[in-house]
Amino acid sequence: MPTNDRFLSRLAWLTLAGALLILVWRSAPLVEGWFAPRQAEPRTITARGEIAADEKATIELFENARDSVVFISTRGLVRDFWTRNVFSVPRGTGSGFIWDDAGHVITNFHVIEGASEASVKLADGRVYKAGLVGASPAHDIAVLRIGVGFKRPPPVPLGTSADLRVGQKVFAIGNPFGLDWTLTSGIVSALDRSLGGEKRATIEHLIQTDAAINPGNSGGPLLDSAGRLIGINTAIYSPSGASAGIGFAVPVDTVNRVVPQVISGGRYIRPALGVQADEAINTRLKRLLGVEGVVILRVTPGSAAEAAGLQGATVSPEGNVIPGDIITAVDGKPVDSVGKLLARLDDRRVGETIKLEILRSGGKSEVALVLQPGN
């Protein structure tokens, strides 16, 4: 037999043998299945032992706090373009929590903003129509009220935020994406953050956390490891709109200062100096003057600022702005923007005396001032 024919014959046999081996290998599970028993018993469960202490603590925290957290759904009015009829349609959902035994529910202002009605669902399934008591948009806080006549859910235990430290464990309970009563955990990532935008005022003193916060968590409680309220989950920082490990919460010390005023009067009255300032103008003037602070544009007649001798800016005959007093610090804490000044004042109460550090004609001085009610 010629050499080429023998080579081709061997190659053909090798190819056939390889194909048979592959066929047998692929058919092995099928053949095994023919001879395997048709019935099988459930596998024996492996004992896990005791749940870890930190897991027990987390479970207990959730079970104790769950009944205090609520699911909020809102509806808005829309008008049909053709018939001009007005319809009530679902608008959005969010979270909230029970504040006291009178049925007050706390949530974010942006959860109910623009809504015509809201309903509150409790952890036991009961649903109530909620009335709006009042709000403080500057703090993104709103107070609702429901008429719970019996089996009132307990208020969330109150904590403090002034003594928080970066690295503390925190827990968020809410209704992300409508998935009700969801628990996530993390740590305090940073403190005293600021958050604002084109459509909302800058909120100061925020708690930053890496606990997963998503749309629907807004208005829910942020708790410490003792199960105490330390903040209201208010926003996330994410290009995709979902949790990216950066969430923000309004600190409970702010909540505890704002909410009682809203309940008693329907709104929060901010402490004020009696001066006028503008963020955009202030930014330009700071750059022009080469200073850090808040330039007082005008002092309101009869105000606390006038009584303290503060001076506003003037305009020269040539149209140039001649700065008056520039506020650089409040009670020793520096301010470099109008938003920061408002936040510093917001830490105090109407009627309290504060000390302002100011620049006047290039020199530094200190002025005492009694805070007045703002608008």
Side-chain angles (χ1 to χ4, degrees), residues 117-163:
E117 58 182 281
S119 60
V120 171
K121 182 180 179 181
L122 303 182
D124 59 11
R126 288 180 291 167
V127 179
Y128 295 90
K129 291 291 184 183
L132 178 62
V133 176
S136 176
H139 302 94
D140 200 17
I141 296 174
V143 181
L144 308 177
R145 190 179 185 197
I146 57 175
V148 183
F150 62 97
K151 291 181 62 178
R152 294 181 177 178
V156 178
L158 207 63
T160 61
S161 52
D163 56 356

Coordinates of all heavy atoms in Angstrom, one line a residue, residues 117-163:
E117 N -52.5 64.2 47.8 CA -52.9 63.4 49.0 C -51.8 62.3 49.2 O -51.0 62.0 48.4 CB -54.2 62.7 48.7 CG -54.2 61.8 47.5 CD -55.6 61.1 47.2 OE1 -55.9 60.1 47.9 OE2 -56.3 61.7 46.4
A118 N -51.8 61.8 50.5 CA -50.8 60.8 50.8 C -51.5 59.8 51.7 O -52.4 60.1 52.5 CB -49.6 61.4 51.6
S119 N -51.0 58.5 51.6 CA -51.5 57.5 52.5 C -50.3 56.8 53.2 O -49.2 56.8 52.6 CB -52.3 56.4 51.8 OG -51.6 55.8 50.8
V120 N -50.6 56.4 54.4 CA -49.5 55.8 55.2 C -49.9 54.3 55.6 O -51.0 54.1 56.1 CB -49.3 56.6 56.6 CG1 -48.4 55.9 57.5 CG2 -48.8 58.0 56.2
K121 N -49.0 53.4 55.2 CA -49.2 52.0 55.5 C -48.3 51.6 56.7 O -47.1 51.8 56.7 CB -48.9 51.2 54.3 CG -49.2 49.7 54.5 CD -48.8 48.9 53.2 CE -49.1 47.4 53.4 NZ -48.7 46.6 52.2
L122 N -49.0 51.0 57.7 CA -48.2 50.6 58.9 C -47.7 49.2 58.7 O -48.1 48.5 57.7 CB -49.1 50.6 60.1 CG -49.8 51.9 60.5 CD1 -50.6 51.8 61.8 CD2 -48.7 53.0 60.6
A123 N -46.8 48.8 59.5 CA -46.1 47.5 59.4 C -47.1 46.3 59.5 O -46.9 45.2 59.0 CB -45.0 47.3 60.4
D124 N -48.3 46.5 60.2 CA -49.3 45.5 60.4 C -50.3 45.4 59.2 O -51.2 44.7 59.3 CB -50.0 45.6 61.7 CG -50.7 46.9 61.9 OD1 -50.8 47.7 60.9 OD2 -51.1 47.2 63.0
G125 N -50.1 46.3 58.2 CA -50.9 46.3 57.0 C -52.0 47.3 57.0 O -52.7 47.5 56.0
R126 N -52.3 48.0 58.2 CA -53.3 49.0 58.2 C -52.8 50.2 57.3 O -51.7 50.6 57.4 CB -53.6 49.5 59.6 CG -54.3 48.4 60.4 CD -54.6 49.0 61.9 NE -53.3 49.0 62.6 CZ -53.2 49.7 63.8 NH1 -54.2 50.3 64.3 NH2 -52.0 49.7 64.4
V127 N -53.8 50.9 56.6 CA -53.5 52.0 55.8 C -54.4 53.2 56.2 O -55.6 53.0 56.5 CB -53.8 51.7 54.3 CG1 -53.5 52.9 53.4 CG2 -52.9 50.5 53.8
Y128 N -53.8 54.4 56.4 CA -54.5 55.5 56.8 C -54.2 56.7 55.8 O -53.1 56.8 55.3 CB -54.1 56.0 58.2 CG -54.4 55.0 59.3 CD1 -53.5 54.0 59.6 CD2 -55.6 55.1 60.0 CE1 -53.9 53.1 60.6 CE2 -56.0 54.2 61.0 CZ -55.1 53.2 61.3 OH -55.4 52.3 62.3
K129 N -55.3 57.5 55.6 CA -55.1 58.8 54.9 C -54.3 59.7 55.8 O -54.6 59.8 57.0 CB -56.4 59.4 54.5 CG -57.1 58.6 53.4 CD -56.4 58.7 52.1 CE -57.2 58.1 51.0 NZ -56.5 58.1 49.7
A130 N -53.3 60.4 55.3 CA -52.5 61.3 56.1 C -52.8 62.8 55.8 O -53.0 63.1 54.6 CB -51.0 61.0 55.9
G131 N -52.8 63.6 56.8 CA -52.9 65.0 56.6 C -51.6 65.7 56.8 O -50.7 65.2 57.6
L132 N -51.3 66.8 56.0 CA -50.0 67.5 56.1 C -50.1 68.5 57.3 O -50.9 69.4 57.3 CB -49.7 68.2 54.8 CG -48.5 69.0 54.8 CD1 -47.2 68.2 55.0 CD2 -48.3 69.8 53.5
V133 N -49.3 68.3 58.3 CA -49.2 69.3 59.4 C -48.4 70.5 59.0 O -48.8 71.6 59.3 CB -48.6 68.6 60.7 CG1 -48.5 69.6 61.8 CG2 -49.5 67.4 61.1
G134 N -47.3 70.3 58.4 CA -46.4 71.4 58.0 C -45.1 70.8 57.5 O -44.9 69.6 57.5
A135 N -44.2 71.7 57.1 CA -42.9 71.3 56.5 C -41.9 72.4 56.6 O -42.2 73.5 56.8 CB -43.1 70.9 55.0
S136 N -40.6 71.9 56.5 CA -39.5 72.9 56.4 C -38.7 72.4 55.2 O -37.8 71.6 55.3 CB -38.6 72.8 57.7 OG -37.5 73.6 57.5
P137 N -39.0 73.0 54.0 CA -38.3 72.6 52.8 C -36.8 72.8 52.9 O -36.0 72.1 52.3 CB -38.9 73.6 51.7 CG -40.2 73.9 52.3 CD -40.1 74.0 53.7
A138 N -36.3 73.8 53.7 CA -34.9 74.1 53.8 C -34.2 72.9 54.5 O -33.0 72.8 54.3 CB -34.7 75.4 54.6
H139 N -34.9 72.1 55.2 CA -34.3 71.0 55.9 C -34.8 69.7 55.3 O -34.4 68.6 55.7 CB -34.6 71.0 57.4 CG -34.2 72.2 58.1 ND1 -35.0 73.3 58.3 CD2 -33.0 72.5 58.6 CE1 -34.3 74.2 59.0 NE2 -33.1 73.8 59.2
D140 N -35.6 69.7 54.2 CA -36.2 68.5 53.6 C -37.0 67.7 54.6 O -36.9 66.5 54.6 CB -35.1 67.7 52.9 CG -35.7 66.8 51.8 OD1 -36.9 67.0 51.4 OD2 -35.1 65.9 51.4
I141 N -37.7 68.3 55.5 CA -38.5 67.7 56.5 C -40.0 68.0 56.4 O -40.3 69.2 56.2 CB -38.0 68.0 57.9 CG1 -36.6 67.6 58.2 CG2 -38.9 67.4 59.0 CD1 -36.0 68.1 59.5
A142 N -40.8 67.0 56.4 CA -42.3 67.2 56.4 C -42.9 66.4 57.6 O -42.4 65.3 57.9 CB -42.9 66.8 55.1
V143 N -44.0 66.9 58.1 CA -44.7 66.2 59.2 C -46.1 65.9 58.7 O -46.8 66.8 58.3 CB -44.7 67.1 60.5 CG1 -45.5 66.3 61.6 CG2 -43.3 67.5 60.9
L144 N -46.5 64.6 58.8 CA -47.8 64.2 58.5 C -48.5 63.7 59.8 O -47.8 63.6 60.8 CB -47.8 63.1 57.4 CG -47.0 63.3 56.2 CD1 -47.0 62.0 55.3 CD2 -47.6 64.4 55.4
R145 N -49.8 63.5 59.7 CA -50.5 63.0 60.8 C -51.6 62.0 60.4 O -52.2 62.2 59.4 CB -51.1 64.1 61.7 CG -51.7 63.6 63.0 CD -52.3 64.7 63.8 NE -52.6 64.2 65.1 CZ -53.5 64.8 66.0 NH1 -54.0 66.0 65.6 NH2 -53.8 64.3 67.1
I146 N -51.6 60.9 61.1 CA -52.6 59.9 60.9 C -53.5 59.7 62.1 O -53.0 59.9 63.2 CB -52.0 58.5 60.4 CG1 -51.0 58.0 61.4 CG2 -51.3 58.7 59.0 CD1 -50.4 56.7 61.1
G147 N -54.7 59.3 61.9 CA -55.6 59.1 63.1 C -55.6 57.6 63.5 O -56.5 56.9 63.1
V148 N -54.6 57.2 64.3 CA -54.6 55.9 64.8 C -55.3 55.8 66.2 O -54.8 56.3 67.1 CB -53.1 55.4 64.9 CG1 -53.1 53.9 65.4 CG2 -52.4 55.5 63.6
G149 N -56.5 55.2 66.2 CA -57.2 55.2 67.4 C -56.9 54.1 68.4 O -57.1 54.2 69.6
F150 N -56.3 53.0 67.9 CA -56.0 51.8 68.7 C -54.8 51.2 68.2 O -54.4 51.4 67.0 CB -57.1 50.9 68.9 CG -57.5 50.2 67.5 CD1 -57.0 49.0 67.2 CD2 -58.4 50.9 66.7 CE1 -57.4 48.4 65.9 CE2 -58.7 50.4 65.4 CZ -58.2 49.1 65.1
K151 N -54.1 50.4 69.0 CA -52.9 49.7 68.6 C -51.9 50.6 67.9 O -51.5 50.4 66.8 CB -53.2 48.5 67.7 CG -53.9 47.3 68.4 CD -54.2 46.2 67.4 CE -52.9 45.6 66.8 NZ -53.1 44.5 65.9
R152 N -51.6 51.7 68.6 CA -50.7 52.7 68.1 C -49.3 52.2 68.0 O -48.8 51.6 68.9 CB -50.7 54.0 68.9 CG -52.1 54.7 68.9 CD -52.0 55.9 69.8 NE -53.3 56.7 69.7 CZ -53.5 57.8 70.4 NH1 -52.6 58.3 71.2 NH2 -54.7 58.4 70.3
P153 N -48.7 52.3 66.8 CA -47.3 51.9 66.7 C -46.4 52.7 67.6 O -46.6 53.9 67.8 CB -47.0 52.1 65.2 CG -48.0 53.1 64.7 CD -49.2 52.9 65.6
P154 N -45.3 52.2 68.1 CA -44.4 52.9 69.0 C -43.6 53.9 68.2 O -43.2 53.7 67.1 CB -43.6 51.9 69.6 CG -43.5 50.8 68.6 CD -44.8 50.8 67.9
P155 N -43.3 55.1 68.8 CA -42.3 56.0 68.2 C -40.9 55.5 68.2 O -40.6 54.6 69.0 CB -42.4 57.3 69.1 CG -43.6 57.1 70.0 CD -43.8 55.6 70.1
V156 N -40.1 55.9 67.2 CA -38.7 55.5 67.2 C -38.0 56.1 68.3 O -38.1 57.3 68.6 CB -38.1 56.0 65.8 CG1 -36.6 55.6 65.8 CG2 -38.8 55.4 64.7
P157 N -37.2 55.3 69.1 CA -36.4 55.9 70.2 C -35.4 57.0 69.6 O -34.9 56.8 68.5 CB -35.6 54.7 70.7 CG -36.4 53.5 70.3 CD -37.1 53.9 69.0
L158 N -35.3 58.1 70.3 CA -34.5 59.2 69.9 C -33.1 59.2 70.3 O -32.8 58.9 71.5 CB -35.2 60.5 70.3 CG -34.9 61.8 69.5 CD1 -35.5 61.6 68.1 CD2 -35.5 63.0 70.2
G159 N -32.1 59.4 69.4 CA -30.7 59.5 69.8 C -30.2 60.9 69.5 O -31.0 61.9 69.5
T160 N -28.9 61.0 69.4 CA -28.3 62.3 69.2 C -27.3 62.2 68.0 O -26.9 61.1 67.7 CB -27.5 62.8 70.4 OG1 -26.5 61.9 70.7 CG2 -28.4 63.0 71.6
S161 N -27.0 63.3 67.3 CA -26.1 63.2 66.2 C -24.8 64.0 66.5 O -23.9 63.9 65.7 CB -26.8 63.7 64.9 OG -27.4 65.0 65.1
A162 N -24.8 64.9 67.5 CA -23.7 65.7 67.8 C -22.5 64.9 68.2 O -21.3 65.3 68.0 CB -24.0 66.7 68.9
D163 N -22.7 63.7 68.8 CA -21.6 62.9 69.2 C -21.3 61.7 68.3 O -20.5 60.8 68.7 CB -21.9 62.4 70.6 CG -23.2 61.6 70.7 OD1 -23.9 61.5 69.7 OD2 -23.5 61.0 71.8

